[in-house]
Amino acid sequence: MAAKMVKICCIGAGYVGGPTMAVIALKCPSIEVVVVDISATRIAAWNSDQLPIYEPGLEDVVKQCRGRNLFFSTDVEKHVCEADIIFVSVNTPTKTRGLGAGKAADLTYWESAARMIADVSKSDKIVVEKSTVPVKTAEAIEKILTHNSKGISYQILSNPEFLAEGTAIQDLFNPDRVLIGGRETPEGRKAVQALKEVYANWVPEDRIITSNLWSAELSKLAANAILAQRISSVNAISALCEATGANVSEVAYAVGKDSRIGPKFLNASVGFGGSCFQKDILNLVYICECNGLPEVATYWKQVIKINDYQKSRFVNRVVSSMFNTVSGKKIAVLGFAFKKDTGDTRETPAIDVCKGLLGDKAKISIYDPQVSADQIRRDLAMNKFDWDHPIHLQPTSPTAVKEVTVTWDAYEATKGAHGVCILTEWDEFKSLDYAKIYENMQKPAFIFDGRNVVDSEKLREIGFIVYSIGKPLDQWLKDMPAVA
């Protein structure tokens, strides 16, 4: 008789679960894939024409499979009970209180998922951790499952995701590597093999790496820490470039030509954002501290410190250029997402920049092609780390945000402004009619390019005073030194 159809269930219909499962369904027509989530609105969105996340190519994949072998449901327990392989991609936010607050990961959602799996399972399961989680989560989950096993056998695997937002679908179609960590026991190896066979439907064998559980978990944190470190390294150099008259783009280009270094992740900017870099480094720091390695912890902390320094340096530059006050002045902010081609605002540098300007009583007008006014207001009203907790726990009274307007047009945002801050590298910002923008601004008109996207020489010809990160300074900016 034919082997029965493998059933996969994924708990958590977010940025990781949704796209990953959609691609598995597309590439493995013989596997039934169900994504479950307790949020009815989120599941409704996945079943609608307006998906809950924006990711190039995602809609095509979902539409090809949805209703065939890809399903989205709120009936969590039924589908968990029926599945052979359960992916868990629930949130692991940074703790906001208690032991390890501000650094440690909050495993509340993870633990409740594990207990629910133990409650409803009637057959053996492979449980795969699929969110960014700190090392040793698998062990905790394993303990919960085995202590509640009722004779059922569970194998825990770690299968960290390495998706980059904006290119997630391409990353899934053609990954650099797929990492599967498991126990080094016969049952563990068998489970690793079962998951390997799923990926082998479209990923070349030599790109599927297997390791022990801890190596897989730590590889994820280490990869993000090293990527973020490259950004902080080039951002640190950008400050020195401004001080000496060097050009950070030229420096980064020369450095990136070294084949051992390579050109990627060497763009100086107002700072890195996104849901993982800061969270993962804080996690790494915490794990180092817990294991009695303060020197290692301090080393990785610097990556975040430089990122915070870069954001505050940008705000100081804006304020000092404008006669040391932005009080009551309109400032346009172009771009709010943490990078182009995504609507994601998690940990975006724009939040700290806007808060810094609002702290100096500026009036801000924001335009981003993918981010809703609602989201922007929520982000600006939130405390650090709140964004990663459920919406009903987030602050609802955006009081300080009345000095903020959100527009759906860059020209509207810049009209009557004293300065323009470019905080996301959306392609459309390269082709705006800056002469028209200049005409409608107060003079002197400033552009602060936090992503080095505009041609500063052309803008200077129009009449702008331009600040680009890590580039030689205008005479004006030299005369108005930023007070640290």
Side-chain angles (χ1 to χ4, degrees), residues 91-94 109 275 279 346 385-390 394:
N91 241 358
T92 48
T94 306
Y109 309 111
S275 61
K279 183 163 88 174
R346 296 181 292 180
F385 305 126
D386 274 351
W387 56 269
D388 212 357
H389 291 265
Q394 293 174 10

Side-chain angles (χ1 to χ4, degrees), residues 76-88:
V76 180
E77 299 187 357
K78 169 181 185 284
H79 294 291
V80 166
C81 176
E82 291 174 2
D84 305 298
I85 302 177
I86 302 166
F87 284 86
V88 186

Side-chain angles (χ1 to χ4, degrees), residues 451-465:
R451 298 284 181 169
N452 287 343
V453 290
V454 296
D455 181 336
S456 39
E457 284 315 308
K458 279 198 182 122
L459 295 185
R460 288 186 181 116
E461 282 163 23
I462 293 171
F464 285 106
I465 294 162

Side-chain angles (χ1 to χ4, degrees), residues 227-438:
L227 286 170
Q229 182 193 42
R230 283 176 71 105
I231 298 176
S232 281
S233 297
V234 79
N235 282 344
I237 296 291
S238 77
L240 183 58
C241 287
E242 287 168 33
T244 55
N247 179 331
V248 75
S249 298
E250 294 173 351
V251 174
Y253 180 75
V255 169
K257 274 296 183 202
D258 184 322
S259 60
R260 294 164 304 176
I261 297 173
K264 291 181 178 169
F265 270 68
L266 289 179
N267 293 322
S269 71
V270 63
F272 60 74
S275 61
C276 283
F277 281 2
Q278 175 157 310
K279 183 163 88 174
D280 286 0
I281 293 171
L282 289 170
N283 235 314
L284 194 56
V285 166
Y286 184 67
I287 293 166
C288 292
E289 289 173 348
C290 291
N291 284 289
L293 302 170
E295 293 80 0
V296 183
T298 308
Y299 176 76
W300 288 110
K301 258 187 217 160
Q302 288 301 323
V303 173
I304 291 177
K305 277 201 172 148
I306 286 285
N307 198 48
D308 290 339
Y309 163 75
Q310 189 77 342
K311 292 183 281 194
S312 60
R313 207 167 70 79
F314 187 86
V315 172
N316 290 347
R317 185 67 80 183
V318 172
V319 176
S320 65
S321 309
M322 297 187 175
F323 313 103
N324 230 10
T325 173
V326 289
S327 179
K329 292 178 182 172
K330 176 174 173 179
I331 297 189
V333 168
L334 299 185
F336 197 83
F338 82 90
K339 66 176 184 183
K340 72 174 186 179
D341 296 337
T342 175
D344 195 347
T345 59
R346 296 181 292 180
E347 296 287 352
T348 171
I351 295 173
D352 284 342
V353 171
C354 290
K355 282 183 172 174
L357 295 171
L358 289 168
D360 214 301
K361 300 196 171 63
K363 292 184 175 352
I364 297 184
S365 183
I366 301 172
Y367 163 68
D368 186 286
Q370 281 295 337
V371 184
S372 70
D374 245 16
Q375 183 62 50
I376 288 174
R377 289 182 190 287
R378 240 199 335 265
D379 286 334
L380 292 176
M382 259 185 244
N383 297 319
K384 224 166 172 41
F385 305 126
D386 274 351
W387 56 269
D388 212 357
H389 291 265
I391 270 187
H392 63 271
L393 298 179
Q394 293 174 10
T396 44
S397 56
T399 40
V401 198
K402 54 181 183 298
E403 297 301 326
V404 174
T405 52
V406 179
T407 66
W408 279 104
D409 170 41
Y411 299 102
E412 190 53 43
T414 52
K415 190 183 286 175
H418 287 258
V420 176
C421 297
I422 301 175
L423 300 184
T424 312
E425 70 282 18
W426 287 103
D427 291 336
E428 62 186 75
F429 297 157
K430 292 179 179 155
S431 52
L432 291 171
D433 181 346
Y434 283 101
K436 174 178 160 185
I437 287 175
Y438 181 77

